Amino acid sequence: MKLLYLSFFLFLTFQIFGQTHMKLHLRDCTIVEGDGKFKRNFVKIRKTKKEKPRKIYLKDIHKIIGKNKKGTFVIYSMKTIHDQYFKVQLVERGKVNIYKNTSSVSGGYGTYSFTEYYFIRDGEPYITQLVTNAPAAKFRKKAANYFEDCPILVDKIKNREDGFKMKNVKEIAQFYNTKCK
């Protein structure tokens, strides 16, 4: 019987504390506000605890204003890679914009957290993923292809110059935004 109560308590704890207050700005210009939870390709949100959660797909959301795990307000945008929507956060704005998505995966050895970075220029239909957990050589190749319209930047990335490595995505975007056409 104690195991049943403990299981029920843990279930309620995860249900209550797994949600955060958020405001969804939908593509049809409506706003939905309430306590929500992110899932893979949708958000479950409800205005009151008694209300049944509403499932809203990322493709129908323009942006989300909410709090992250640290309790600070963040704004997420919905961007696509070949018709698959992702919740991303703006890092740098300019001719090329950088977005990031931080995720965590739990496994037998604990929780592993990682950040992926995406780039997009005005007029491009999809974001391009340049930084993942892949080796740096893959980053250099992807970045050289993406920034091919700026040979100076491509040379700096290929030659592994300081400030132009995989960990310097913000600096790379700033260089592109100020020094490239």
Side-chain angles (χ1 to χ4, degrees):
M1 192 67 169
K2 287 182 183 179
L3 183 61
L4 179 65
Y5 285 126
L6 179 63
S7 300
F8 181 70
F9 174 75
L10 288 174
F11 173 76
L12 281 179
T13 302
F14 286 120
Q15 288 299 315
I16 293 170
F17 294 111
Q19 298 182 351
T20 184
H21 190 77
M22 59 182 67
K23 188 183 288 190
L24 307 180
H25 293 253
L26 305 182
R27 294 195 187 278
D28 66 2
C29 297
T30 58
I31 296 175
V32 178
E33 190 170 357
D35 293 327
K37 185 186 276 190
F38 290 109
K39 297 293 185 177
R40 181 167 169 80
N41 63 348
F42 61 90
V43 173
K44 277 189 165 183
I45 190 166
R46 60 181 167 191
K47 292 179 185 176
T48 65
K49 299 280 184 209
K50 294 179 182 178
E51 186 179 292
K52 183 180 174 185
R54 179 177 165 192
K55 186 188 286 189
I56 301 175
Y57 288 92
L58 296 182
K59 67 181 179 69
D60 298 324
I61 302 171
H62 173 65
K63 70 179 176 180
I64 300 172
I65 300 173
K67 291 184 178 181
N68 62 13
K69 291 180 181 180
K70 296 176 185 172
T72 56
F73 278 97
V74 292
I75 299 174
Y76 296 103
S77 298
M78 301 309 117
K79 299 292 180 186
T80 60
I81 296 180
H82 304 293
D83 298 327
Q84 184 177 359
Y85 283 81
F86 291 90
K87 170 186 67 85
V88 293
Q89 186 178 358
L90 182 66
V91 175
E92 180 74 23
R93 182 180 299 274
K95 288 188 282 187
V96 66
N97 298 320
I98 307 175
Y99 291 92
K100 74 176 182 177
N101 179 17
T102 303
S103 302
S104 57
V105 177
S106 297
Y109 297 106
T111 302
Y112 175 68
S113 202
F114 58 94
T115 301
E116 299 169 316
Y117 288 91
Y118 303 89
F119 287 66
I120 189 169
R121 293 183 196 97
D122 289 337
E124 289 180 336
Y126 303 114
I127 55 177
T128 300
Q129 185 180 37
L130 289 184
V131 178
T132 62
N133 293 330
K138 261 192 165 175
F139 165 75
R140 285 191 299 275
K141 184 177 179 183
K142 282 180 165 182
N145 287 338
Y146 188 77
F147 295 114
E148 68 184 356
D149 62 332
C150 185
I152 301 165
L153 180 56
V154 171
D155 287 341
K156 290 180 178 294
I157 293 169
K158 282 185 175 178
N159 295 330
R160 303 175 191 167
E161 288 186 26
D162 282 342
F164 294 91
K165 297 180 181 173
M166 186 165 67
K167 64 183 178 183
N168 308 108
V169 291
K170 192 170 182 178
E171 292 82 1
I172 290 170
Q174 289 171 348
F175 183 91
Y176 182 86
N177 289 336
T178 57
K179 306 248 192 299
C180 300
K181 59 178 178 154

